Amino acid sequence: MHEVGIANGILEAVRKETEAHKPARAVKVGVRIGEMAGIDPQSLAFSFEVLVKGSDLEPLDLAIEPGVLDELEFAYLELEVP
Amino acid sequence: MTRVPMEGKVLNENDRAAAELRAEFARHGVFAVNLISSPGSGKTALLERTLESYDAGRRVAVLTGDIQTDADAARLARYGFPVRQITTAGACHLDARMIRRALDGWELAQIDLLFIENVGNLVCPTSYDLGEACKIVLLSVTEGEEKPLKYPGIFFKSELMLLTKIDLLPYVPFNIDVAEANARTIHPEIQIARLSCTTKQGLDEWLRWIDARKGGQ
C-alpha cells in the first residue's frame, strides 16, 4: 500500500505548483505511470480520492496515463482561473 | 480552464534524498546494495552466510528493514559487523530518508560495503530509490516461477536475480529454467545466480559477484 505515500507526494507537488499560479485552483492532475513502476493505478486512484476528500484541494481529479517502463512522472496540471 | 505542463518525478522528495545519499556513498567509497524480495525468501539468511564468510577486517555494514521487531538485527549482529535495524512501524518499504536517519553516527569512510535489507515485499520497495549502486532481487524456489511476470517492476529494476533455497528443488514443483526465462522476458540483461544458504552451494559465486560488482562500481 505504498500508493498512499505516492498519492501524498502528488498532492504536495500540486499544492506547490498551484501556489505558483495564484489565484488559480487546481482541478485535475495528470501523471504517467509505466507498467514497471510497481504502482497499481486502481490503488493509487483510491488512495488519492481518500486523501483529497476533506482536504484544501477538494475537488481534484487524478488522470493516470500509461507511461513507458518504470516511468512515474507528472504530466500536467489543469487550473481554473477565477 | 488552463492546462500547464508539470514536470518531474512523482517521488521527487525521495529521489532528492536518494541522490544526496548516492553522492555521499560515492564520496566515501561506499558500495551500497538494496536487497529486495518477498518475506521469507532468505534475505537475512543470505546476509548471515555472507557476513559469516567475511574476515573481521572487512569493512561491511548492514541496515535491515522490517515493519516490526529487531529480530533480524539480532541475528546479524552475531558476526561482529555494524548492524542497525530500521523498524518502519507499518510502512511497506524503506525510503531514502529512513536510510539517512539510520546512518546517523556511522563513519561512512569506515564502510566499503553496505547491505540494505529492504522490508519483505516485491512491490512497494521497487519505487523507492535508496541511493544504492544496485538492486538485487531474491526469488526462492518455494515461491513459484511465475513471480517475475506477476511482479515485473522489481525484476526490471534489479541487476541480479538470486534464486535461493535451491537445495529444496527436488521437493518443490519449481521449474528453475522457466523462472530464469521469465525474468529475462521482463529484463533481458538481468544477471542470475543460484544459491542455497543451507548447503552453501553457489555461495562463492555470490561472494565473487559482489566483489566484482563493487570493484567495477
Side-chain angles (χ1 to χ4, degrees):
Chain A
M1 273 305 286
H2 66 313
E3 282 82 1
V4 173
I6 309 262
N8 205 30
I10 295 174
L11 293 184
E12 277 173 31
V14 166
R15 260 186 210 106
K16 217 164 156 181
E17 186 67 29
T18 310
E19 188 69 24
H21 296 276
K22 260 184 179 169
R25 70 169 306 278
V27 181
K28 187 184 198 178
V29 57
V31 293
R32 276 194 302 269
I33 301 177
E35 258 183 77
M36 304 295 179
I39 309 285
D40 174 31
Q42 280 184 3
S43 169
L44 178 62
F46 176 65
S47 306
F48 186 88
E49 197 186 307
V50 170
L51 290 180
V52 164
K53 202 167 184 188
S55 81
D56 53 315
L57 291 168
E58 190 181 14
L60 175 68
D61 282 339
L62 173 70
I64 299 176
E65 302 178 352
V68 182
L69 297 172
D70 61 343
E71 194 176 26
L72 175 57
E73 307 215 353
F74 289 107
Y76 62 84
L77 182 64
E78 275 186 13
L79 297 160
E80 203 175 51
V81 187
Chain B
M1 190 97 69
T2 50
R3 182 181 276 207
V4 295
M6 212 172 147
E7 282 166 18
K9 294 182 183 296
V10 170
L11 286 168
N12 214 358
E13 276 309 310
N14 184 74
D15 284 349
R16 210 177 354 254
E20 280 173 24
L21 277 174
R22 186 165 284 114
E24 210 169 327
F25 289 153
R27 198 160 54 242
H28 296 290
V30 179
F31 178 68
V33 175
N34 185 357
L35 294 172
I36 298 174
S37 79
S38 13
S41 304
K43 293 182 295 301
T44 312
L46 174 73
L47 287 172
E48 284 182 306
R49 294 292 83 76
T50 305
L51 297 180
E52 183 183 73
S53 75
Y54 288 159
D55 57 48
R58 184 93 187 201
R59 307 202 312 171
V60 59
V62 180
L63 294 177
T64 177
D66 272 304
I67 290 175
Q68 286 296 348
T69 86
D70 58 1
D72 279 3
R75 266 172 75 179
L76 294 168
R78 287 196 293 246
Y79 303 94
F81 300 104
V83 174
R84 273 192 187 154
Q85 182 78 46
I86 302 175
T87 342
T88 64
C92 49
H93 58 271
L94 296 178
D95 66 41
R97 275 180 282 200
M98 294 178 196
I99 302 300
R100 173 71 280 160
R101 282 197 297 274
L103 289 172
D104 195 41
W106 270 1
E107 194 67 62
L108 284 184
Q110 302 301 317
I111 299 172
D112 292 336
L113 177 56
L114 175 67
F115 287 110
I116 302 169
E117 179 185 349
N118 220 308
V119 176
N121 184 327
L122 270 182
V123 184
C124 311
T126 309
S127 308
Y128 291 82
D129 184 359
L130 305 181
E132 74 274 350
C134 68
K135 288 182 173 64
I136 294 174
V137 62
L138 281 72
L139 174 59
S140 66
V141 303
T142 56
E143 288 173 70
E145 58 275 281
E146 74 293 344
K147 283 290 179 292
L149 304 178
K150 287 183 175 172
Y151 302 88
I154 188 54
F155 292 88
F156 176 73
K157 290 194 179 188
S158 293
E159 225 171 275
L160 174 71
M161 170 171 80
L162 270 178
L163 288 161
T164 60
K165 308 189 188 182
I166 55 166
D167 53 301
L168 297 179
L169 276 174
Y171 314 106
V172 292
F174 182 89
N175 187 325
I176 198 159
D177 297 321
V178 170
E180 296 191 353
N182 286 343
R184 290 199 169 103
T185 300
I186 300 301
H187 182 182
E189 290 83 30
I190 197 164
Q191 297 177 61
I192 298 173
R194 305 175 175 187
L195 139 151
S196 161
C197 287
T198 304
T199 64
K200 298 191 184 178
Q201 186 189 345
L203 186 65
D204 286 343
E205 192 192 346
W206 152 249
L207 295 171
R208 277 198 300 274
W209 190 92
I210 277 289
D211 283 340
R213 180 61 182 79
K214 179 177 175 301
Q217 295 222 1

